[in-house]
Amino acid sequence: MTPTGSGGAGGEDGASATGGGGDGGGALVSCGGSLGDTCTETEHCELREPGAEVCDERAIGVCVARPRVEECPEDCPGVCGCDQRVHCNECLARAAGVRASKDTSCSSGEYVVGVNDRVYVHSADLEANRCLTLSLAWPTESDPRFTGVELPEHWALVDVMLTGEMRDCTAPRTPDDDGLHVVTGATGALSWESEPNTGIPCVIDMDVTLALEGEPGTYHVKATGVVVDNTCLL
């Protein structure tokens, strides 16, 4: 009787190990906090610390398998990720290895090298269902409509695009003409921490107010600590 009972317990242990395999096989791997990013490219760090803020880098979680993109719903209500980018939904955020935050606005930046180097700043407003993209270039001159925006030396604001769909900030695409708001003027300021010796922006702060054709009032966007991709190693 005793050997049979022991065998039964062993079977339960075996089942537990198999169950753990669903989250990557064997024991779960902790991540976050002082441990850093210990997850593989096919996993994301799922928060398991009660009461912790979703995007708190000090919070501890465990590595779990990312959902496959094809498993996620196609609807795009929009969520802000802890990477400060807008994702169509929480499942797609996890598929990208990112936790979804509770923020209703998020901003990101990218740097593109060319004849005139460009910086694109994207700011998604989930509540208003709008996406703002500011296009800055160097060396050139600002569009006359946007000379009221203060910029670092030698940089110019050459285009401002405001669309009526937040999802325009999820990936570069050409919005429908009927979804565009005509921006007639802009005031405010953009400033940034730059890479030593080059002046290339690393982290941008912006406080910009737009005047829109056919709309009363103005549209105001403020964001701090916007990290610019393809530039500095922070």
Side-chain angles (χ1 to χ4, degrees), residues 47 49-59 82 99 102-103:
L47 192 62
E49 191 174 327
E53 291 292 333
V54 174
C55 296
D56 188 348
E57 295 181 354
R58 298 167 297 179
C82 293
R99 292 196 295 265
K102 297 179 181 179
D103 294 338

Side-chain angles (χ1 to χ4, degrees), residues 10-232:
E12 288 178 3
D13 288 342
S16 296
T18 302
D23 281 322
L28 296 176
V29 176
S30 296
C31 54
S34 60
L35 299 172
D37 185 4
T38 56
C39 302
T40 68
E41 292 182 356
T42 60
E43 298 173 326
H44 74 100
C45 189
E46 183 176 277
L47 192 62
R48 296 284 177 92
E49 191 174 327
E53 291 292 333
V54 174
C55 296
D56 188 348
E57 295 181 354
R58 298 167 297 179
I60 300 297
V62 294
C63 296
V64 298
R66 299 184 188 185
R68 293 192 297 271
V69 171
E70 57 270 22
E71 296 174 338
C72 294
E74 295 182 0
D75 65 320
C76 192
V79 296
C80 285
C82 293
D83 59 353
Q84 278 302 301
R85 294 183 176 279
V86 63
H87 301 265
C88 267
N89 52 57
E90 188 171 344
C91 181
L92 286 171
R94 293 200 306 271
V98 178
R99 292 196 295 265
S101 76
K102 297 179 181 179
D103 294 338
T104 57
S105 63
C106 39
S107 302
S108 60
E110 58 182 318
Y111 185 83
V112 179
V113 177
V115 176
N116 295 113
D117 287 2
R118 294 265 182 158
V119 173
Y120 297 98
V121 183
H122 309 285
S123 183
D125 185 336
L126 276 60
E127 290 185 334
N129 193 26
R130 285 178 167 178
C131 171
L132 171 67
T133 298
L134 304 178
S135 177
L136 298 99
W138 177 89
T140 187
E141 295 183 358
S142 290
D143 184 298
R145 294 172 296 168
F146 312 136
T147 53
V149 178
E150 297 179 18
L151 301 168
E153 189 176 8
H154 304 306
W155 283 87
L157 182 56
V158 295
D159 193 24
V160 176
M161 184 170 67
L162 181 66
T163 75
E165 290 193 66
M166 158 284 306
R167 66 192 182 100
D168 291 328
C169 280
T170 62
R173 75 184 194 98
T174 302
D176 300 329
D177 288 341
D178 57 2
L180 282 171
H181 297 271
V182 178
V183 180
T184 58
T187 57
L190 281 89
S191 59
W192 55 63
E193 298 175 18
S194 59
E195 197 172 59
N197 304 320
T198 67
I200 293 175
C202 302
V203 180
I204 294 177
D205 294 336
M206 66 173 177
D207 189 344
V208 176
T209 300
L210 308 180
L212 307 176
E213 184 178 90
E215 293 192 27
T218 56
Y219 182 70
H220 180 233
V221 177
K222 184 175 182 178
T224 58
V226 180
V227 176
V228 182
D229 289 349
N230 306 325
T231 58
C232 315

